[in-house]
Every structure is written in C-alpha cells, then in structure tokens.
Amino acid sequence: MIRKTSARPREIRGVKKIMEKAEPTVYFAPLGGLEEVGRNMMFFEYQNEIVIIDAGLQFPEEETPGIDYIIPNIAYLEPKKQNIQGLILTHAHYDHIGALPHLLQKLGNPPIYATSITKAIVLKRQDDFPNSPKLNIQVVKNGDKVQLSNFFEAQFFGVPHTIPETAGVVLKTPIGNIVHFADFRIDYNEEDRPQGLEEFEKIGKMGIHTLMIDSTNAEEAGHSLSEKVVEKNLEAIFRKAEGRIIVATFASLLTRIAEIIKIAEKIGRKVALSGFTMKTNVQIAQNLGYIKAKEGTLVALEEIHKFRDDKLLILSTGAQGEPNASLMRIVNGEHRQIKIKPSDVVVLSSSVIPGNERSVQVVKDNLSRQGAIVYHSNLIDIHASGHAPKDDLQLVMKLIKPKFIVPVHGYYFMRAANAQSAREVGIPKENSILMDNGQVAALTKSGFRVTEREVPAYYVMVDGLGVGDVEEVVLRDRRALSAEGMVVIIVTVDRDKGGRLLKSPDIISRGFIYLKENQEILEGIRKRLHGLISRLPNYQPLEPDYLKNLIRDQIGQFLYNKTKRRPMILPVVIEI
Amino acid sequence: MIRKTSARPREIRGVKKIMEKAEPTVYFAPLGGLEEVGRNMMFFEYQNEIVIIDAGLQFPEEETPGIDYIIPNIAYLEPKKQNIQGLILTHAHYDHIGALPHLLQKLGNPPIYATSITKAIVLKRQDDFPNSPKLNIQVVKNGDKVQLSNFFEAQFFGVPHTIPETAGVVLKTPIGNIVHFADFRIDYNEEDRPQGLEEFEKIGKMGIHTLMIDSTNAEEAGHSLSEKVVEKNLEAIFRKAEGRIIVATFASLLTRIAEIIKIAEKIGRKVALSGFTMKTNVQIAQNLGYIKAKEGTLVALEEIHKFRDDKLLILSTGAQGEPNASLMRIVNGEHRQIKIKPSDVVVLSSSVIPGNERSVQVVKDNLSRQGAIVYHSNLIDIHASGHAPKDDLQLVMKLIKPKFIVPVHGYYFMRAANAQSAREVGIPKENSILMDNGQVAALTKSGFRVTEREVPAYYVMVDGLGVGDVEEVVLRDRRALSAEGMVVIIVTVDRDKGGRLLKSPDIISRGFIYLKENQEILEGIRKRLHGLISRLPNYQPLEPDYLKNLIRDQIGQFLYNKTKRRPMILPVVIEI
C-alpha cells in the first residue's frame, strides 16, 4: 500500500494554481481540537492531494445536554474524497480515533496509517458498527517512512504518552517539514532527568517549517511528574494493603495498567479485570506484547473467590464515576462478583475530568461509607498526566527549532499560554499561530498565513442513532426545559362559533412546579384562559396563531408574576 | 440582650427527662453541611432550650437544574420556635448566612449573635426581602462571652479566614464545652511559621468535649499557602503591568480585596470597583475599618477615563464566569465603562469552583482573544484557599485536644479523610464521629452517641419566588427533558363512537429531534396512532387512560427503535 510515483505532475496540473500563486502552497485547516479538548482532526491539501491527521470525538458539555458525543465536520472533505491520500492516526485514544466509524465511509474509506496497537483498538471499535466497510489500515512502526502520495511523505517517531506506540509524525510536503507531536509527555527518571530526547533532536536537525504542539497542559507550570514516582507510590500503597486491592483507572491508560500488573506480580497478587473495555484493551496489549503477564497472573472474575483477599488485585474501569462502569456497579452493590468489604483498598489512579467532580465524589463517598480505604491523587501522587506541562513543551520547542508553531489541542487560552511559552524560547510572536477550527492557512516555503477562507467546522452531534440531526434549536430547547420546565395548554374550540370553548382547557406541566399541589396557579391559568377566549371577537373566524400567541404571552406573564419563572409555554388549539 | 438568670431550673423541669436518662444529655443535629459543601446549619437542644449555629445556603448542582439554591430543612425546629434561645453566625459567607431571609420568620425571629461585619452583610441582604421582620442582632466581638440562655453560654474567638471577623465559638453546655471552628485557615508568615496559635492553645486548656472542624480541604496535603506569598506575587504582576489592571475575585474575599487596595496605593494606582456586591461589600468593610483606603484612592467607574491606564486598577466580580457579573459584561463588550484593550492585565484571583471550569475557560479565552494578558493561579500562586488542609487541621486538633471530634463541612469522603487525620494525632477511631444530616446525637459528660432518631433534613429548594415547591418529581422531569426532550401527542376522539379520531393527531416535540426535518418519523407516529386507535374495541366506551398508556408504550417503542432515544411521551386524549 505504500504508493510511489516516479513523476511528480506538479508542473502540469498546477497551471491554474501557478497563475494565482507563484510559489507552492500547502493549505492547512483544523476541523476540531483547536477550540476544545477533543475532536482532534486536521488536514493538509496540496493541489489535488489531501492528507488527514486523526479523527477524534469530543465528549458532550453542559451546553449539549443528552448528546452522546460530537464529531468533526467533514462537509469540506466529503465532496473531495477522491483526493484523500491517507489518514494518519497518532494514537488510539477516542479524542483522536473516536469519530472514525461515523466518517470513514463518507471520506471514501481512505488508507489509514497507524501503529499496531492503534489498529487493533480501531478494529475492536468497528465491532459496534457492523455495517461499516472493511477498513484499509497500513501498520506503521515508529521510525518508518511512508510515501503517502505524490507530494506527501510521512515519517513516524515515538512519543511518550499513556498508551503505547503513540506516534508523532513528520509530514514532508512541497513547502517543508511539518511536525505533529500528537499527545505527549516527557519521561523522567527517578533523578528527574528527561529521557529519550535524542530522537527529537534529530528531527530538529531535519529543518522544521511548522511544529504542531499539544496545549492540554500548557497552563500548568513545571515538568511532567515521573511515572516512576507514580509506580513507587502505588507499590507502597499496595504493600500496605491488608485486604483486596481495587485499582480504578481509564482502560485507555495502558502504560499505567501494564505497570500495575507488573507490581502485582512483584508483590505476589493475582490480577482480575473488571469492565468490558478493561478486558479488551488488556487483551490487545497482551497480544502485542505490551503487557507481559506471567502464566497464572491474570485470573477470571468468576475465580476470585478462590484466592485470599491479600493475594488479589482487581483492575476496574470507572475512575470518573461513569454510571455504567464496573466501579459504579461495585459501589452500588450491583456487581456480580465484587462487593465492597471493609478491608478493601480502593485506588483511583486518574485525574478528574472537569465536569466529573461530583460523580467521583459520590463514588468516593460510597466506597468510604462501605468501609473501604480509598486513595486518590490529592494526598499522594498516584497519577501522572499524559500531557506535557510548560517546561516540557519548551524543551521540545527548543529541540525542534521550528520556524512556525501552531499550538493545537485545547481552548484558546491554553493555546495562547503555549504561544507565550514559545515566545519565551525565542519563537517570534508572529510565528506563533493561533487558529480557530475551520480557518484555512496557506503555507509557503518561507511563510505561514491564515487566510480569509473558512471550511465548515460547526458541531456534528451524535445522539443515539442520529448523526447531525440534533441541532442548536433542539439543544436550546433542552436547556430551557431543564431550567424552567414547560406547560402545555390545550384549548378545544368550536371553529364555527368564533372560538367558543368546547371543554375545559387541558393543562399539562413537567419540570415547572408540581401543579397538582398548586391548585391556585392551575385555577389562575384556567380563569385567564376563559377570560381571554371569551373576549375573542366573535364576528370573524378564529385565527389559531393569534390565539396561541395570546395564550403564550398572557399565561407566561401570569406565571412569571406568580413564580418569577419562565417555563416554556406550548399552546395547542384544537378546532372542531 | 445578654440574658442572665440566677437560678438554673434544670432540676425542676427535667423530671421526665431524668426518668428516661439519668445523666444530663445535650442533643445535637446537623441540618446541612455534612453531606455537601454549603447549607451549613446545626442545632443543640437541652431540655426546652435550643441554640442554632449558622443558616447557610447550598448552590445548585447538576442534579438540581434550574434551582436558585437549596436551604436547610427546619421542619423539626419550626414547631419548637419558642424554645430557640439564639442563632450564632460564624461569618458572613452565604454558605453560612444565605438561608436566613427564608428561615428567620419561621424560627420565630430569634436573637442572632454575630460580629459587626457579619451583621452588616446580613442586614444588606435583607434589603432584597422587604417584607421580612426587623432582625434582632446582637453584635459580639471575638473574646466576648455571652449567656445565651439558662444552659448555654457562648464564647467567641477569632479564626483566620477570607473575610474579617470570622468567629469560632466555644459553646458551654451542661455536658461540657463544644468548640465549632467555623471556616478557617492558619496564617503563615513569609518564613512559613504558623501565626496566632496561642488563642487556640488557651481554648484547648479549657477542656473540650467535642470539636466541630471544617473538612472542605481535608483531602489536601500540606498546610495553608501564606497569604503573604499571594500578596507578593500579586504585587510583582501589578508592577510589571503596563496598562490597566483588572482583578476579578469573589466580593466576599474581603481580606484579599483589602490587600489588593493596599498594594494599589503602594504602586500608585487608583482603584475603581465594578459589580454591585463588590461595591456594597467594600463599603461595609470601609465603614468598619477593615479597608482603610486613603482619600482619593477609590474612584468612581464613571471617572476612570480621567486617569492614565497605568494608574488604574479595577476590582471586579465574576472570577467564576458568572453570567451576569461585571467581568462577563466586560468580556462581552456590554460594560458601560470598561472595554478590554490589548494592554490590559487581567488577574483572576480565586479558585475555580467545581462545575464552573467551562465558564471560567470561556472568560479566559475571550479575554485572551481580545488581547488582554491573563493571569490565573495555575502558573503562579495568586490565590490561597480559606480552608485549612490536612497539616493545619491536625495542628488545631493537637492544640484543642478534644475528647470527640465531628468533621463538618463536606462530603462524606472529605469528612472521613478528616477523621483519618484525627486518628493520626491520637484521637481514637470511635471518638471521630461521622454523622449525616438529620441524624441526632446524644452527648453526655463522657459520651457521644449517634442515636436512631432523625430529624427531617431533605432538600428545601428555592426557585424564583417558590420555596420548597420544586420537589424531586419536578427535578426528575427536568433532568429527563434535558437529556431526551419530549413529544406531546394529542388525539381528539369522538367519545360516543368508541374513540373515532375526529381530526389528525397533533404532535409537538421539543428537545427531541427537529421533527419538521424528520418527516419520516412524523409520518411513522401518525400511522401508528391511526392503527392503534382503529384497533380499539368499538363495542365499549373509550377508556382514556388505557389509550394514553397504549400511545406512551407503542410510540415510545417506535421512537426508540428509530432513534435509540427515549423522549418523554405525553399523550393527551381530548374527548368530544
């Protein structure tokens, strides 16, 4: 699948382009990930060739109630799908691969380039989408060079992150080398010395036009916490435990999971896995040799009763308090094999994603109430982030020495903090590029210019089976309903008699106040409806829209005066 | 108002009590604050005397959409209001005083004991409740001893917090001394030495039965960050600023605000106040001498154009991204006097309350996009919490040496962490009491026993003008509506003809999907309704409830199959 051509038809095809623009220009646009954390996707276009990096999803926010997740908008790419030469995946986290099942067919099922663990996790996810086409995934290793098309070549390099085989990529283009550092951290040894920088130094020496760099932790001071420290602290907690150990973490933190299994072997505990993704991810990591559990270390959940409590460690999903994850089932007493006992030691080895504080608190409270000893990272370092903070970001900038830098992954302020860091290491302000999703940049050999052009980048929401059918108007209604509720008012009128009420109005409310217990308000509404309808002119036919507006305004005002709330008023006029 | 009696009628009145219980027993119950952060209120009861500490509100949570706030439940106290001898307020933060306007009348408007700044802020808030009775507030100073009733005496002592005159209280009761430490931190000097511990030591020497101690930061390691460090960092940032300085913080952090005004004077900047509560709180603190601004330091917002940018500092509300606060109006270009300029330095001097991360991010993004230089506490310490972390909590426990300890203020896990800290300083496990709101404890000279008795402590919600009229059923509906929306289905049938449809069914949906653009689903609903109604037996009268259930089940199932969503289905049967 590595495509090569001998002739580069640039001169022939490019006539029109050359007329417009004397020098070769690569166009670049982020489709997501630059105004949020998640939904990472970007593409490069040169003449009739397009290369994409990542296709991630974004988890819902407070402003998108009820939504499953948000995916990148590919309205620009879809009609150009025949031009897509390749889709590079940097690593197997859902904010980088999660949108694939929804997008691949629309993108013409292009060749995908990914490391083996990324491939395995992508294929596993496809099981949930049985009608998808067979994917066309080319496995790459870090160090590989791949000619993607006439004009684009990719060179992969390893970056430390929380999942093995995370790949940075040097994209060689007609205007120069563009480096995307994926999600990364820097490994430190126990003496706090950074490890494995030679590779990055080499890339710097290639001569780099633009560096795309992770901004997730750009607001944090200092350098990455050594995973060695985390391991040491975990081992100390494990050794002290007198009963079972239950470690809850993300199933995607495979590097941590591999370490925990190693420590368990060292201290003589069997490991049981709880939670579907925990099982499948560990299976994948075992198949690829990233988890090298000895024969007999891993035991089935159904077997744990055969082992003494102080010989057991359970790895569980649900460290964020997710409603259906294994830890929540354990906490709620709904887990078939695991009930909390007072001697249990529960370790939450993950950070709390903003918005999940309350759910995590509930989990900790309930574990603690059931007598478990709970460890979380406030009091002791038992989690290290996968994203480089300020000092490490600057370290990479200094090694790569790019001409231009594009902070990616994160809200504007995080990216601005990253740009500020770039200035501090000598990258001129005008060469730190802060773009928004959908903006198009024109890259020439010596320049990087954000153009006036834009491609669509608004939210595409996935909700149940629907993709893109929940729009802003629906979300606005959900938000309004959740704050003030609604009142449906149904008046049945006689069409022929200018709107005489045929029966007492039907009033239904939900999420407003409990009307059954507020007879006074209910009577107030009825009285006003009767008054309002009796005053309708009876010398002309009823205009239902006029009556609806009247109801909406007058009943809305009445309810506001009575309650200082503005429920959604839905008037229905039934004409008989 | 300091009531004194010469005779203690305990022996006479207590006959029945003595029969039940040979030794004097004080009953204690928390009404809020022990399963959340906020809504702090507790009471002590001895024979026919009741003393209350604090009456705070709790801010709404994800599970209480649309609610203004939650107040303590006083169902137990209301019928006993003639027994209430006093209400002690520890300090003027809303989680300790915010429920007062809703509760005082129901509590019989009892005498309130508060320091002068607490009194001033309580009275200011009463302005919003013009129909309230005149409050009966007795000003106390730290150090004062007050005989509250026959059996209860209060001795006040100062604790460092983020608002001046925060008062801890030693409650002298027939069974011994109970200390409530309010919200507190420990002051450290620049050499990191704790300050002002002598007072606490003295209290310890009085002999303490029970210590009630703040758990808000019990999960945090280490000791309080010195406010001196915060001041130094703020001054350094201020001195570097070339344009205006805008500092956003809580208007209730009066200690910080006083410091900032001092620094402004030191570096020669005028101070303007933006935001209603900022103005009123600073006014109160000035009146009481806690803010000693020199003549001419404070300038009106309307005057700021008369001063050079580098001679101005603006103190603003809105550091949490609150929608109507001053900072948000500035950011949105809706502030009358202040528009962001690229030279502005904006300092957010507060922590982010969980749940507000996204709003704060939006504020920072927008300030940064408008060119302002934004400082937040991630990269540099420009905020110190008002709540003691673990080391300081243990310091206080060691000085007070209580027999029993009741961790208050916080979720179970926070309080359990505090109890764990107590064990580490030698308080036996069985003497660290973890109670829930509404539980009643019986305190005797030598004992502290949580009884089987409970008093009501369920949420009382304030929403608009309503207090307590939003109940769990309404919130459940709001949550359901916000996740999946709803579909109202109105069928108009002929009562006499066994339910023949008189017109095409009316279908209204909100927050589900945009039905206008989903004609197929709309048609599917109609078709199923027609089918379902045509199959109703016509040899018996229509049963509307039966038909409604049929619609709810069958249309619900149809929509789930089509969309994998479960909107609320509201069937209405109009019989003519």
Side-chain angles (χ1 to χ4, degrees), chain A residues 280-452:
Chain A
T280 55
N281 280 6
V282 168
Q283 184 62 56
I284 287 169
Q286 272 191 298
N287 293 347
L288 295 168
Y290 287 103
I291 290 178
K292 296 194 190 75
K294 289 182 198 133
E295 184 80 29
T297 294
L298 293 174
V299 297
L301 273 184
E302 295 73 19
E303 312 263 283
I304 57 172
H305 62 275
K306 297 183 182 161
F307 301 95
R308 269 169 44 191
D309 284 354
D310 63 352
K311 293 291 169 209
L312 263 181
L313 184 148
I314 295 157
L315 266 167
S316 168
T317 54
Q320 295 297 311
E322 303 94 323
N324 300 315
S326 150
L327 186 63
M328 198 54 116
R329 284 184 282 125
I330 295 174
V331 163
N332 291 342
E334 291 161 0
H335 196 289
R336 277 213 281 178
Q337 288 91 12
I338 310 167
K339 308 261 173 272
I340 289 294
K341 312 181 195 178
S343 61
D344 287 342
V345 168
V346 182
V347 180
L348 304 179
S349 181
S350 79
S351 56
V352 181
I353 295 175
N356 291 350
E357 291 83 4
R358 191 69 184 92
S359 331
V360 174
Q361 192 67 51
V362 168
V363 166
K364 285 157 68 179
D365 281 6
N366 286 337
L367 286 166
S368 190
R369 275 180 195 276
Q370 292 170 48
I373 302 160
V374 183
Y375 290 90
H376 202 198
S377 40
N378 304 51
L379 281 168
I380 185 164
D381 287 326
I382 49 177
H383 174 69
S385 168
H387 302 274
K390 183 175 175 181
D391 291 1
D392 289 345
L393 292 166
Q394 290 188 324
L395 190 63
V396 165
M397 294 173 194
K398 284 190 275 187
L399 293 168
I400 300 296
K401 299 187 197 72
K403 184 160 182 155
F404 300 97
I405 194 161
V406 181
V408 294
H409 307 167
Y411 298 101
Y412 186 90
F413 188 77
M414 297 175 182
R415 292 183 290 114
N418 219 350
Q420 173 61 32
S421 294
R423 284 202 276 287
E424 289 171 20
V425 299
I427 297 170
K429 186 173 176 175
E430 60 278 16
N431 289 10
S432 282
I433 318 287
L434 293 171
M435 293 175 72
D436 286 338
N437 295 328
Q439 282 193 318
V440 178
L443 285 67
T444 56
K445 276 187 177 134
S446 58
F448 192 117
R449 187 173 55 84
V450 180
T451 69
E452 297 289 307

Side-chain angles (χ1 to χ4, degrees), chain A residues 34-35 61-63 65-67 218-222 354-355 357-359 361-362 364-366 368-370 373-376 378-380 390 411-417 435-436 459 463-467 469-471 473-475 477-479 481-486 488 490 492 502-503 506 508-514 517-518 552 560-565 568 570-576, chain B residues 34-35 61-63 65-67 218-222 354-355 357-359 361-362 364-366 368-370 373-376 378-380 390 411-417 435-436 459 463-467 469-471 473-475 477-479 481-486 488 490 492 502-503 506 508-514 517-518 552 560-565 568 570-576:
Chain A
L34 268 73
E35 290 171 271
E61 308 192 313
E62 212 179 313
E63 303 99 85
I67 290 296
E219 283 185 75
E220 303 299 324
E357 291 83 4
R358 191 69 184 92
S359 331
Q361 192 67 51
V362 168
K364 285 157 68 179
D365 281 6
N366 286 337
S368 190
R369 275 180 195 276
Q370 292 170 48
I373 302 160
V374 183
Y375 290 90
H376 202 198
N378 304 51
L379 281 168
I380 185 164
K390 183 175 175 181
Y411 298 101
Y412 186 90
F413 188 77
M414 297 175 182
R415 292 183 290 114
M435 293 175 72
D436 286 338
Y459 279 11
D463 185 10
L465 292 183
V467 176
D469 64 347
V470 170
E471 293 165 21
V473 56
V474 170
L475 291 181
D477 286 344
R478 286 187 187 176
R479 290 191 295 261
L481 290 167
S482 102
E484 310 267 17
M486 54 100 184
V488 184
I490 304 159
T492 310
L502 286 174
K503 62 190 289 291
D506 292 87
I508 305 169
S509 92
R510 288 290 186 277
F512 171 48
I513 50 176
Y514 203 39
E517 293 180 359
N518 285 275
R552 204 177 285 118
Y560 182 74
N561 291 344
K562 279 282 175 193
T563 66
K564 289 279 174 288
R565 288 174 235 181
M568 191 184 280
L570 297 171
V572 182
V573 176
I574 307 275
E575 296 171 276
I576 299 291
Chain B
L34 268 74
E35 289 170 271
E61 307 192 313
E62 211 179 315
E63 304 99 86
I67 289 297
E219 285 185 72
E220 303 299 324
E357 291 83 3
R358 190 71 185 91
S359 331
Q361 192 67 51
V362 168
K364 285 157 69 179
D365 281 7
N366 287 336
S368 190
R369 274 180 196 276
Q370 292 170 49
I373 303 160
V374 183
Y375 290 89
H376 203 195
N378 304 53
L379 282 168
I380 184 164
K390 182 174 175 182
Y411 298 101
Y412 186 90
F413 188 76
M414 296 175 182
R415 293 182 290 115
M435 291 175 74
D436 287 337
Y459 279 10
D463 185 11
L465 291 184
V467 176
D469 63 347
V470 170
E471 293 165 20
V473 57
V474 171
L475 292 180
D477 286 343
R478 287 187 187 175
R479 291 192 295 261
L481 290 167
S482 104
E484 311 266 17
M486 54 100 183
V488 184
I490 304 159
T492 310
L502 285 175
K503 63 189 289 290
D506 292 87
I508 304 170
S509 92
R510 289 290 185 279
F512 170 47
I513 49 175
Y514 204 39
E517 292 180 2
N518 284 275
R552 204 178 284 118
Y560 182 73
N561 291 345
K562 280 280 174 194
T563 66
K564 288 280 175 285
R565 287 174 237 180
M568 191 185 280
L570 296 170
V572 182
V573 177
I574 307 275
E575 295 172 276
I576 299 290

Side-chain angles (χ1 to χ4, degrees), chain B residues 27-197:
Chain B
Y27 292 94
F28 158 71
L31 293 177
L34 268 74
E35 289 170 271
E36 55 275 309
V37 173
R39 195 163 54 108
N40 297 297
M41 185 169 187
M42 55 173 67
F43 70 87
F44 299 86
E45 185 173 27
Y46 184 76
Q47 295 186 6
N48 60 349
E49 295 188 355
I50 292 172
V51 171
I52 301 171
I53 299 182
D54 288 334
L57 58 78
Q58 177 185 354
F59 288 101
E61 307 192 313
E62 211 179 315
E63 304 99 86
T64 58
I67 289 297
D68 298 336
Y69 46 83
I70 305 158
I71 59 176
N73 194 316
I74 54 163
Y76 176 77
L77 294 174
E78 210 176 334
K80 290 193 164 196
K81 60 184 166 195
Q82 74 289 351
N83 291 358
I84 298 171
Q85 307 293 318
L87 195 167
I88 293 167
L89 299 177
T90 59
H91 64 293
H93 285 159
Y94 277 20
D95 53 337
H96 292 260
I97 62 163
L100 285 173
H102 301 289
L103 303 184
L104 277 175
Q105 199 143 17
K106 291 180 183 162
L107 294 174
N109 199 15
I112 295 172
Y113 300 91
T115 54
S116 52
I117 197 162
T118 305
K119 176 179 177 180
I121 291 178
V122 165
L123 290 182
K124 189 82 212 164
R125 178 125 191 271
Q126 290 297 107
D127 292 351
D128 300 339
F129 298 83
N131 300 324
S132 306
K134 194 173 168 322
L135 304 190
N136 176 3
I137 306 183
Q138 156 99 24
V139 171
V140 294
K141 291 190 309 298
N142 293 328
D144 279 2
K145 283 182 199 168
V146 180
Q147 187 75 36
L148 303 171
S149 63
N150 294 319
F151 298 117
F152 289 101
E153 187 189 320
Q155 180 176 335
F156 297 90
F157 61 98
V159 294
H161 189 44
T162 53
I163 189 163
E165 295 183 354
T166 299
V169 58
V170 184
L171 198 64
K172 298 183 179 178
T173 79
I175 60 94
N177 296 322
I178 295 166
V179 179
H180 189 308
F181 241 74
D183 283 1
F184 77 100
R185 44 172 287 153
I186 298 290
D187 272 343
Y188 282 79
N189 66 9
E190 280 183 84
E191 286 77 47
D192 246 7
R193 299 182 73 86
Q195 304 294 300
L197 302 182

Side-chain angles (χ1 to χ4, degrees), chain B residues 476-537:
Chain B
R476 204 172 50 223
D477 286 343
R478 287 187 187 175
R479 291 192 295 261
L481 290 167
S482 104
E484 311 266 17
M486 54 100 183
V487 180
V488 184
I489 294 168
I490 304 159
V491 293
T492 310
V493 294
D494 189 331
R495 193 197 327 243
D496 300 331
K497 296 193 175 149
R500 192 176 54 94
L501 268 176
L502 285 175
K503 63 189 289 290
S504 179
D506 292 87
I507 299 163
I508 304 170
S509 92
R510 289 290 185 279
F512 170 47
I513 49 175
Y514 204 39
L515 279 185
K516 274 194 188 158
E517 292 180 2
N518 284 275
Q519 286 299 331
E520 186 201 332
I521 288 185
L522 209 51
E523 279 317 304
I525 298 175
R526 281 189 210 287
K527 220 177 100 188
R528 266 153 196 85
L529 286 172
H530 278 282
L532 179 158
I533 290 171
S534 70
R535 285 192 300 276
L536 286 175

